[in-house]
Amino acid sequence: MVKYLQSSIGIIHKNHAESITSYIKESVDEELKEENNIKPAQKKRLTFCVEGNISVGKSTFLQRIANETLELRDLVEIVPEPIAKWQDIGPDHFNILDAFYAEPQRYAYTFQNYVFVTRVMQEKESAIGIKPLRLMERSVFSDRMVFVRAVHEANWMNEMEISIYDSWFDPVVSSLPGLIPDGFIYLRASPDTCHKRMMHRKRAEEGGVTLDYLRDLHEKHENWLFPFQSGNHGVLSVSQLPLGVDDSLHPDIKDRVFYLEGNHMHSSIQKVPALVLDCEPNIDFNKDIEAKRQYARQVAKFFEFVKRKQESSSPQPNDSEKGSSKQILMPHQGGLWMGGKGFPESALKSFDFKRAMSFMSG
């Protein structure tokens, strides 16, 4: 640096060049310190997407278990599925959910397109939060792998429409990393159980939903989420659970966690962990407090597991980087280089050396 100032800038006296070098280094160090103070590293919170068939109990899970238990109440922020947005669109209050169920062949693409848009809006609206875990009801991935597949196979979405859907799905998901969860929670129950619960809740738009449709959705959830064992291409039964995949798992969830994988899996969620919760039993959460807390403990342990895995996989500074300070080095092209941050030659030309020298001599 001193030689550079003497030969290229014209600072004749060595002591002046050394003073200017020290001044620049101190100024840069101070600026970097201020930047670090202004922009502290914000701790990333985790996002889990809660998946499952129609009427499997997602709303009950989110409201009664995540909201009302000591294990989760202060841990999670709940982001329910934006059903209200689907039921009331624009000044004319269109109900696209009702329109889809009434005329699926006419409105399947329109509905799935709008569902995706509302999920993007919802992710943006809930991106900043205080609580360390965000639980979102369903995801754009279950939209594509379950519901879009179902309407396409039922011929409610034609080849042109699904080609259009796929043409923007990948680039949009790739450009919005907030849509990619850190984990999935799959609420699992048989189609017959889901059908009984649907009949009991009597949501107006679901009047035309058949048991066969629920069976189809169940099969697509299973095919999407569960890694099949070699040679077994059938659908897993409700009583089966995936094999444990990690020795560090807590006993409460050891046989309920696996990683998403397979050629059919979207590249952005390959190896993302998933927790399976058995929702087959009909539990009265007003009376069975212990059952409610058991579900909550499993989610809390899954959160700890995913958080620990992410922290352990974060890049750590090597020994040469630890304790090292920023250094000003001479690059090959005439500028300054300060520990990985460039100081271009144009900046040197605009630097007030007269002010620097007067400062040093004062």
mmCIF file of all heavy atoms in Angstrom, residues 1 4 24 328-331 334-338 341-345 348:
data_model
loop_
_atom_site.group_PDB
_atom_site.id
_atom_site.type_symbol
_atom_site.label_atom_id
_atom_site.label_comp_id
_atom_site.label_asym_id
_atom_site.label_seq_id
_atom_site.Cartn_x
_atom_site.Cartn_y
_atom_site.Cartn_z
ATOM 1 N N MET A 1 0.831 -1.201 0.000
ATOM 2 C CA MET A 1 0.000 0.000 0.000
ATOM 3 C C MET A 1 0.870 1.257 0.000
ATOM 4 O O MET A 1 0.630 2.195 -0.751
ATOM 5 C CB MET A 1 -0.918 -0.016 1.235
ATOM 6 C CG MET A 1 -1.728 1.259 1.426
ATOM 7 S SD MET A 1 -2.967 1.502 0.141
ATOM 8 C CE MET A 1 -3.756 2.996 0.711
ATOM 9 N N TYR A 4 2.521 1.642 -3.283
ATOM 10 C CA TYR A 4 1.523 2.036 -4.277
ATOM 11 C C TYR A 4 1.277 3.543 -4.217
ATOM 12 O O TYR A 4 1.225 4.224 -5.243
ATOM 13 C CB TYR A 4 0.224 1.272 -4.024
ATOM 14 C CG TYR A 4 -0.925 1.709 -4.913
ATOM 15 C CD1 TYR A 4 -1.015 1.272 -6.229
ATOM 16 C CD2 TYR A 4 -1.907 2.559 -4.423
ATOM 17 C CE1 TYR A 4 -2.058 1.678 -7.043
ATOM 18 C CE2 TYR A 4 -2.952 2.975 -5.226
ATOM 19 C CZ TYR A 4 -3.026 2.528 -6.539
ATOM 20 O OH TYR A 4 -4.065 2.932 -7.339
ATOM 21 N N ILE A 24 -6.739 5.246 6.050
ATOM 22 C CA ILE A 24 -7.696 4.518 5.204
ATOM 23 C C ILE A 24 -8.168 3.253 5.907
ATOM 24 O O ILE A 24 -9.364 2.938 5.938
ATOM 25 C CB ILE A 24 -7.058 4.170 3.841
ATOM 26 C CG1 ILE A 24 -6.784 5.449 3.042
ATOM 27 C CG2 ILE A 24 -7.964 3.233 3.048
ATOM 28 C CD1 ILE A 24 -6.035 5.209 1.749
ATOM 29 N N ILE A 328 -5.659 -4.756 4.255
ATOM 30 C CA ILE A 328 -5.617 -4.031 2.991
ATOM 31 C C ILE A 328 -4.490 -4.607 2.165
ATOM 32 O O ILE A 328 -3.334 -4.582 2.574
ATOM 33 C CB ILE A 328 -5.394 -2.529 3.223
ATOM 34 C CG1 ILE A 328 -6.535 -1.972 4.073
ATOM 35 C CG2 ILE A 328 -5.295 -1.788 1.914
ATOM 36 C CD1 ILE A 328 -6.416 -0.505 4.361
ATOM 37 N N LEU A 329 -4.833 -5.150 1.015
ATOM 38 C CA LEU A 329 -3.855 -5.799 0.160
ATOM 39 C C LEU A 329 -3.871 -5.161 -1.213
ATOM 40 O O LEU A 329 -4.873 -4.604 -1.641
ATOM 41 C CB LEU A 329 -4.169 -7.300 0.034
ATOM 42 C CG LEU A 329 -4.278 -8.069 1.357
ATOM 43 C CD1 LEU A 329 -4.769 -9.477 1.073
ATOM 44 C CD2 LEU A 329 -2.938 -8.103 2.070
ATOM 45 N N MET A 330 -2.755 -5.279 -1.903
ATOM 46 C CA MET A 330 -2.669 -4.742 -3.256
ATOM 47 C C MET A 330 -3.165 -5.779 -4.259
ATOM 48 O O MET A 330 -2.650 -6.889 -4.300
ATOM 49 C CB MET A 330 -1.220 -4.387 -3.590
ATOM 50 C CG MET A 330 -0.738 -3.126 -2.900
ATOM 51 S SD MET A 330 -1.717 -1.691 -3.333
ATOM 52 C CE MET A 330 -1.518 -1.678 -5.091
ATOM 53 N N PRO A 331 -4.179 -5.460 -5.060
ATOM 54 C CA PRO A 331 -4.616 -6.376 -6.112
ATOM 55 C C PRO A 331 -3.734 -6.225 -7.337
ATOM 56 O O PRO A 331 -2.882 -5.352 -7.397
ATOM 57 C CB PRO A 331 -6.043 -5.915 -6.395
ATOM 58 C CG PRO A 331 -5.993 -4.449 -6.124
ATOM 59 C CD PRO A 331 -5.008 -4.263 -5.004
ATOM 60 N N GLY A 334 -4.595 -2.673 -9.775
ATOM 61 C CA GLY A 334 -4.420 -1.281 -9.397
ATOM 62 C C GLY A 334 -5.371 -0.753 -8.357
ATOM 63 O O GLY A 334 -5.265 0.399 -7.969
ATOM 64 N N GLY A 335 -6.321 -1.545 -7.887
ATOM 65 C CA GLY A 335 -7.223 -1.079 -6.841
ATOM 66 C C GLY A 335 -6.742 -1.562 -5.490
ATOM 67 O O GLY A 335 -5.652 -2.105 -5.359
ATOM 68 N N LEU A 336 -7.545 -1.351 -4.464
ATOM 69 C CA LEU A 336 -7.227 -1.866 -3.136
ATOM 70 C C LEU A 336 -8.166 -3.012 -2.826
ATOM 71 O O LEU A 336 -9.309 -3.029 -3.260
ATOM 72 C CB LEU A 336 -7.404 -0.765 -2.079
ATOM 73 C CG LEU A 336 -6.441 0.425 -2.174
ATOM 74 C CD1 LEU A 336 -6.774 1.406 -1.065
ATOM 75 C CD2 LEU A 336 -5.003 -0.026 -2.040
ATOM 76 N N TRP A 337 -7.702 -3.953 -2.038
ATOM 77 C CA TRP A 337 -8.541 -5.091 -1.653
ATOM 78 C C TRP A 337 -8.480 -5.248 -0.145
ATOM 79 O O TRP A 337 -7.405 -5.350 0.426
ATOM 80 C CB TRP A 337 -8.040 -6.366 -2.321
ATOM 81 C CG TRP A 337 -9.019 -7.483 -2.191
ATOM 82 C CD1 TRP A 337 -8.996 -8.501 -1.303
ATOM 83 C CD2 TRP A 337 -10.183 -7.672 -2.980
ATOM 84 N NE1 TRP A 337 -10.071 -9.312 -1.479
ATOM 85 C CE2 TRP A 337 -10.820 -8.831 -2.507
ATOM 86 C CE3 TRP A 337 -10.758 -6.971 -4.037
ATOM 87 C CZ2 TRP A 337 -12.000 -9.312 -3.053
ATOM 88 C CZ3 TRP A 337 -11.928 -7.447 -4.581
ATOM 89 C CH2 TRP A 337 -12.531 -8.602 -4.099
ATOM 90 N N MET A 338 -9.640 -5.222 0.486
ATOM 91 C CA MET A 338 -9.681 -5.245 1.945
ATOM 92 C C MET A 338 -10.423 -6.474 2.421
ATOM 93 O O MET A 338 -11.636 -6.460 2.579
ATOM 94 C CB MET A 338 -10.369 -3.981 2.467
ATOM 95 C CG MET A 338 -9.594 -2.729 2.125
ATOM 96 S SD MET A 338 -10.583 -1.255 2.260
ATOM 97 C CE MET A 338 -11.732 -1.490 0.928
ATOM 98 N N LYS A 341 -13.381 -7.369 0.262
ATOM 99 C CA LYS A 341 -14.239 -6.287 -0.203
ATOM 100 C C LYS A 341 -13.418 -5.339 -1.065
ATOM 101 O O LYS A 341 -12.404 -4.802 -0.636
ATOM 102 C CB LYS A 341 -14.836 -5.547 0.992
ATOM 103 C CG LYS A 341 -15.878 -4.507 0.598
ATOM 104 C CD LYS A 341 -16.567 -3.968 1.822
ATOM 105 C CE LYS A 341 -17.642 -2.968 1.442
ATOM 106 N NZ LYS A 341 -18.358 -2.445 2.613
ATOM 107 N N GLY A 342 -13.818 -5.126 -2.280
ATOM 108 C CA GLY A 342 -13.036 -4.340 -3.215
ATOM 109 C C GLY A 342 -13.072 -2.852 -2.934
ATOM 110 O O GLY A 342 -14.071 -2.317 -2.481
ATOM 111 N N PHE A 343 -11.965 -2.179 -3.185
ATOM 112 C CA PHE A 343 -11.885 -0.721 -3.101
ATOM 113 C C PHE A 343 -11.338 -0.272 -4.444
ATOM 114 O O PHE A 343 -10.133 -0.273 -4.666
ATOM 115 C CB PHE A 343 -10.935 -0.313 -1.965
ATOM 116 C CG PHE A 343 -11.133 1.108 -1.496
ATOM 117 C CD1 PHE A 343 -11.545 1.357 -0.201
ATOM 118 C CD2 PHE A 343 -10.911 2.176 -2.344
ATOM 119 C CE1 PHE A 343 -11.715 2.655 0.242
ATOM 120 C CE2 PHE A 343 -11.078 3.474 -1.906
ATOM 121 C CZ PHE A 343 -11.483 3.715 -0.614
ATOM 122 N N PRO A 344 -12.195 0.089 -5.416
ATOM 123 C CA PRO A 344 -11.764 0.321 -6.791
ATOM 124 C C PRO A 344 -10.846 1.519 -6.923
ATOM 125 O O PRO A 344 -10.830 2.424 -6.095
ATOM 126 C CB PRO A 344 -13.085 0.552 -7.533
ATOM 127 C CG PRO A 344 -14.026 1.012 -6.487
ATOM 128 C CD PRO A 344 -13.625 0.318 -5.224
ATOM 129 N N GLU A 345 -10.111 1.523 -8.022
ATOM 130 C CA GLU A 345 -9.154 2.596 -8.277
ATOM 131 C C GLU A 345 -9.859 3.937 -8.403
ATOM 132 O O GLU A 345 -9.326 4.973 -8.003
ATOM 133 C CB GLU A 345 -8.376 2.286 -9.555
ATOM 134 C CG GLU A 345 -7.223 3.241 -9.804
ATOM 135 C CD GLU A 345 -6.383 2.811 -10.983
ATOM 136 O OE1 GLU A 345 -6.754 1.832 -11.643
ATOM 137 O OE2 GLU A 345 -5.354 3.459 -11.227
ATOM 138 N N LEU A 348 -10.101 5.537 -5.185
ATOM 139 C CA LEU A 348 -8.837 6.112 -4.730
ATOM 140 C C LEU A 348 -8.616 7.494 -5.331
ATOM 141 O O LEU A 348 -8.129 8.412 -4.673
ATOM 142 C CB LEU A 348 -7.674 5.196 -5.131
ATOM 143 C CG LEU A 348 -7.424 3.979 -4.234
ATOM 144 C CD1 LEU A 348 -6.311 3.138 -4.840
ATOM 145 C CD2 LEU A 348 -7.067 4.403 -2.829
#
